[in-house]
Amino acid sequence: MKYLILALALLITACTSLLPHPVGATNMASADAEGIISTDALLKQYPAFAAEYARYQLDAIAIEQMQSLQGLQLVVLFGTWCHDSEREVPRLLKLLQQANITTDNLQLQAVNRQKQHPQQLHSHYNLKYTPTIIVLQNGKELGRIIERPQQSLAEDLAKIAKGRK
């Protein structure tokens, strides 16, 4: 009898894992993104990213610090499944938008759960953790922020940008 109950419990557990995830569950609105994704698509398709974008409050100092990024390129390797990415990527996007930094040189590059990119950018940039925000000037890396900033996103990015030639 106890084997029958155990089998029934396993069957119920297996069946409930096949049910769709509840609406609003983190990262379950869409399948995990892979490859390049636009800011608009990211915020429309992934509610956790949109919620953090709306929630994030920044100040005039952060906006001023972001001005040092003008003319630089940013490559952001992140996972739509990653809680650190859900926090940092929307904040970066809001900082860029509020500081009126042109995002023509911004590449949002989503990686899969194995932290691999369809065009092998994970190998090219030696990706270990997500998100990784890479600041480039003329294709040369100036620095990167891995997972979370040490001080603040704006301050850490400004420090990297000030090291340019």
Side-chain angles (χ1 to χ4, degrees):
M1 183 67 173
K2 68 179 176 180
Y3 292 111
L4 180 61
I5 294 171
L6 179 62
L8 185 59
L10 288 173
L11 180 64
I12 291 171
T13 302
C15 290
T16 58
S17 69
L18 297 175
L19 294 174
H21 294 281
V23 175
T26 303
N27 289 330
M28 295 303 161
S30 297
D32 295 337
E34 284 189 64
I36 196 160
I37 185 169
S38 71
T39 299
D40 289 341
L42 180 66
L43 296 176
K44 285 180 185 169
Q45 294 174 22
Y46 297 91
F49 285 80
E52 180 61 25
Y53 184 91
R55 182 175 35 249
Y56 183 55
Q57 299 294 313
L58 52 144
D59 57 30
I61 293 170
I63 293 170
E64 184 179 325
Q65 290 171 324
M66 291 299 289
Q67 296 304 315
S68 60
L69 291 173
Q70 195 67 45
L72 297 177
Q73 299 86 41
L74 294 173
V75 175
V76 183
L77 298 167
F78 72 102
T80 53
W81 44 267
C82 169
H83 69 278
D84 290 326
S85 295
E86 289 175 349
R87 181 188 61 246
E88 300 303 332
V89 175
R91 291 177 180 186
L92 173 66
L93 297 175
K94 193 162 192 176
L95 282 163
L96 292 169
Q97 189 269 328
Q98 293 291 312
N100 291 319
I101 303 296
T102 55
T103 56
D104 294 344
N105 294 322
L106 172 68
Q107 289 184 38
L108 295 176
Q109 298 283 355
V111 296
N112 65 22
R113 290 175 186 258
Q114 290 73 44
K115 297 181 184 148
Q116 296 178 342
H117 187 272
Q119 282 77 42
Q120 306 303 309
L121 291 182
H122 63 282
S123 294
H124 179 76
Y125 289 112
N126 194 25
L127 178 67
K128 292 193 183 349
Y129 304 101
T130 56
T132 295
I133 301 167
I134 304 166
V135 181
L136 304 155
Q137 181 179 29
N138 300 322
K140 182 179 178 216
E141 184 173 332
L142 298 177
R144 59 177 64 193
I145 296 173
I146 301 170
E147 282 188 303
R148 65 175 47 240
Q150 293 179 351
Q151 301 299 316
S152 73
L153 201 49
E155 188 174 343
D156 288 9
L157 287 168
K159 284 179 186 175
I160 292 169
K162 288 180 180 162
R164 68 172 142 173
K165 297 177 180 177

